[in-house]
Amino acid sequence: MGSYTRRTAEACAGFLLPRLRPDMVVLDLGCGPGTITAGLAQRVGRVVGLDASAEMTDAARNHAADCGIGNATFEVGSAYDLPWSDDSFDVVYAHQVLQHLSEPVRALREARRVLKPGGIVAVRDSDYETMIHAPVTELIVRWRQLYHQVARANGGEPDAGRHLLWWVTEAGFADPEVTTSSVSHADAEGRAFWGEMWAIRVIDSDFARHAVDHGLSTRAELQEISDAFRRWSTQSDGFWAYLCGEVVATCPST
């Protein structure tokens, strides 16, 4: 589960939690390995986690079992074609999902379809342009530039946090409420988590493969960036922070 273990309902869905009730049915869209789903399940009647990856849904199912959670189920599927009828859920939640989609408004319209009238959508995404770090190094600055290039070459939007309000409104939701929250890694544990995670991802992930396949970087450059992240993770004055956008909105009755 690795880098996902720091993703909890408290950390990632705090803007939604006060709205949850024990009688609600929730869809966690793009649930990953279920670390947030488990926290949501403890507060509502039932949660369904959906992810495009069978590996992730298997991990989520195992995590729920390990936590003793019996009111969460998991399915493999697409955000563009949800396998449920209209008016099936009270809440649709999506964390760090829309930034990866080439058609986020289409996915939100599909979320609106499966929501009951008066139900709520809650979305949270990071904004990579807001990322700051110290000590500043050229290789990590290059990584942020490269991340933007790779994400957009794949049809995504790495600065999704600032676009959530427009996407949600365009999808037909009403009464949006916008908040932001910051994420920081400025202690030994946080630096080790973030730095080591990216030291690996830069050379061994879809990001690495796409960077090379799109002709945006080379394996040699990616290794240099990986080494820079690993050095940064050990620096006692290392600091990293960024903003996330958050929107909660209502599914209209008509």
Side-chain angles (χ1 to χ4, degrees):
M1 202 172 292
S3 64
Y4 289 91
T5 57
R6 292 169 68 96
R7 293 185 176 185
T8 64
E10 292 77 12
C12 302
F15 67 108
L16 169 64
L17 297 185
R19 298 171 181 264
L20 298 180
R21 302 189 309 269
D23 62 338
M24 284 179 161
V25 180
V26 177
L27 171 61
D28 185 1
L29 188 62
C31 65
T35 54
I36 301 173
T37 321
L40 298 176
Q42 293 169 349
R43 295 168 168 85
V44 300
R46 184 166 64 91
V47 178
V48 180
L50 182 84
D51 202 277
S53 165
E55 180 181 359
M56 284 295 182
T57 55
D58 286 344
R61 206 170 285 115
N62 292 335
H63 180 68
D66 290 343
C67 293
I69 291 170
N71 63 334
T73 58
F74 300 91
E75 297 191 28
V76 178
S78 167
Y80 298 129
D81 186 19
L82 299 177
W84 296 284
S85 60
D86 297 359
D87 307 340
S88 293
F89 296 96
D90 299 292
V91 178
V92 174
Y93 167 78
H95 178 259
Q96 309 292 16
V97 173
L98 298 181
Q99 63 178 280
H100 300 295
L101 301 182
S102 59
E103 299 180 86
V105 174
R106 177 185 166 197
L108 285 166
R109 286 176 177 152
E110 181 68 349
R112 179 184 166 191
R113 180 186 67 77
V114 301
L115 273 171
K116 300 173 183 177
I120 58 176
V121 66
V123 291
R124 183 176 190 256
D125 265 282
S126 52
D127 189 314
Y128 274 69
E129 187 61 32
T130 68
M131 289 191 176
I132 56 174
H133 74 281
V136 177
T137 66
E138 290 185 5
L139 283 168
I140 293 181
V141 170
R142 168 59 179 150
W143 165 82
R144 194 179 70 174
Q145 176 193 47
L146 185 60
Y147 188 91
H148 279 81
Q149 292 172 337
V150 170
R152 289 181 174 138
N154 289 334
E157 176 46 72
D159 301 333
R162 70 184 68 184
H163 299 292
L164 294 179
L165 175 59
W166 182 80
W167 291 343
V168 165
T169 303
E170 187 71 8
F173 289 95
D175 304 318
E177 295 186 16
V178 181
T179 55
T180 60
S181 59
S182 63
V183 177
S184 61
H185 304 295
D187 58 12
E189 181 183 357
R191 285 188 292 269
F193 156 73
W194 187 255
E196 287 299 316
M197 179 186 75
W198 275 107
I200 295 169
R201 284 187 179 180
V202 164
I203 57 175
D204 184 18
S205 68
D206 286 343
F207 167 82
R209 179 171 58 82
H210 292 154
V212 174
D213 289 349
H214 289 306
L216 298 170
S217 186
T218 64
R219 288 290 176 183
E221 182 185 45
L222 294 177
Q223 184 62 60
E224 290 179 351
I225 295 172
S226 174
D227 294 342
F229 267 108
R230 190 157 279 118
R231 287 192 297 272
W232 175 86
S233 72
T234 66
Q235 293 182 272
S236 61
D237 58 345
F239 175 85
W240 196 289
Y242 61 94
L243 284 179
C244 290
E246 304 162 342
V247 179
V248 177
T250 304
C251 179
S253 57
T254 57

